[in-house]
Amino acid sequence: MTTTRASLRSAGAATVLAVLALAGCAEEEPVAEPTATSTATDDAATSSAAEDAQEETSSDDAAADTATQTEQADATSAPEEPEELELSASDDSFSVTFPAGWEDATSTAQEQTETAVLAARDGERVDSFYSNIVITQEEYVGNLTSAVESSAEQLAGEDGEYELLEPAEVDGNRAPGYTLVREVQDATVHQTQRWVSHEGTLYVVTLSAVESQADEAEPVLEDLLASWSWND
């Protein structure tokens, strides 16, 4: 166990720092109210009735033409699909893809830990929490499976819950992992870690989501691992 102790401490810190509960809210823009109009006199209304009728006819014709053009444009133009977010690690070792709606949060993660090489979060905050994925670069571990199991037990403690997972395929590498449930900032947070060892370097991938978003966030991690591509 002495060969993995430093890495366990490092991975434990990565799990703690992976919780990017970033604050922020959208401000509503004021809605413009219609301006009041003055009432014309009866004489003015009578004298301009013919002109108003002619203008109304012209306006109706113009509106009809505009509607026709709009319908033709809608029929020929298909709605644009939202683009996925493709990111590369800051050490340029790999690239991964996140779903549309996720945002790059690498700089935020690196402010919390210098081991972070990539991070992203969901653009929508739920229960005051952004689902997020943080990838850190850690010290090499010889027995990866044993280290993952020991880390899960250590981080869960006596009251926490964890479950070991079958290794996932990550561009030619096997990535063991586990899920963990714990309380963070008065919220129940579900976290999943995958440990990926590649050419003497260990990368720890951590997904964090509040309980209400755990089932929705898990496929994001699965798709990310499937999209993983080494740049060497």
Side-chain angles (χ1 to χ4, degrees):
M1 190 60 64
T2 56
T3 58
T4 63
R5 187 172 302 159
S7 294
L8 291 181
R9 287 199 300 267
S10 183
T15 303
V16 174
L17 292 168
V19 183
L20 301 181
L22 307 178
C25 60
E27 296 182 357
E28 295 184 359
E29 296 183 358
V31 179
E33 297 183 358
T35 57
T37 57
S38 59
T39 304
T41 62
D42 292 341
D43 291 341
T46 302
S47 63
S48 62
E51 296 177 358
D52 291 343
Q54 184 177 359
E55 292 176 358
E56 183 176 352
T57 301
S58 300
S59 298
D60 291 342
D61 293 341
D65 291 340
T66 301
T68 301
Q69 294 174 1
T70 301
E71 292 175 357
Q72 292 175 348
D74 291 341
T76 56
S77 61
E80 295 183 0
E81 293 291 335
E83 295 184 357
E84 295 180 326
L85 175 65
E86 184 175 347
L87 297 177
S88 294
S90 60
D91 65 352
D92 201 32
S93 57
F94 62 88
S95 299
V96 292
T97 301
F98 292 88
W102 279 60
E103 304 170 344
D104 187 357
T106 303
S107 60
T108 301
Q110 290 176 336
E111 291 175 359
Q112 300 182 39
T113 172
E114 60 182 10
T115 62
V117 295
L118 190 149
R121 72 175 193 183
D122 194 340
E124 181 179 355
R125 185 175 59 172
V126 178
D127 296 336
S128 300
F129 191 92
Y130 290 100
S131 297
N132 65 87
I133 293 178
V134 177
I135 304 177
T136 57
Q137 185 185 87
E138 311 290 350
E139 297 179 10
Y140 177 74
V141 175
N143 191 332
L144 196 60
T145 301
S146 176
V148 167
E149 183 174 357
S150 298
S151 179
E153 182 178 355
Q154 176 184 345
L155 293 173
E158 296 181 358
D159 300 326
E161 303 176 18
Y162 75 91
E163 177 184 356
L164 296 177
L165 303 173
E166 291 294 325
E169 181 73 16
V170 180
D171 194 18
N173 298 88
R174 288 167 56 84
Y178 59 87
T179 60
L180 179 71
V181 180
R182 60 196 184 96
E183 295 297 316
V184 178
Q185 299 178 2
D186 299 325
T188 300
V189 176
H190 290 238
Q191 293 185 296
T192 301
Q193 275 199 348
R194 290 288 185 179
W195 294 28
V196 188
S197 183
H198 181 71
E199 296 188 352
T201 302
L202 173 65
Y203 294 94
V204 176
V205 186
T206 305
L207 165 69
S208 302
V210 289
E211 190 167 26
S212 62
Q213 297 296 300
D215 291 340
E216 182 178 338
E218 193 63 36
V220 176
L221 176 59
E222 295 175 1
D223 291 344
L224 177 145
L225 297 177
S227 72
W228 193 296
S229 177
W230 299 109
N231 294 334
D232 50 22

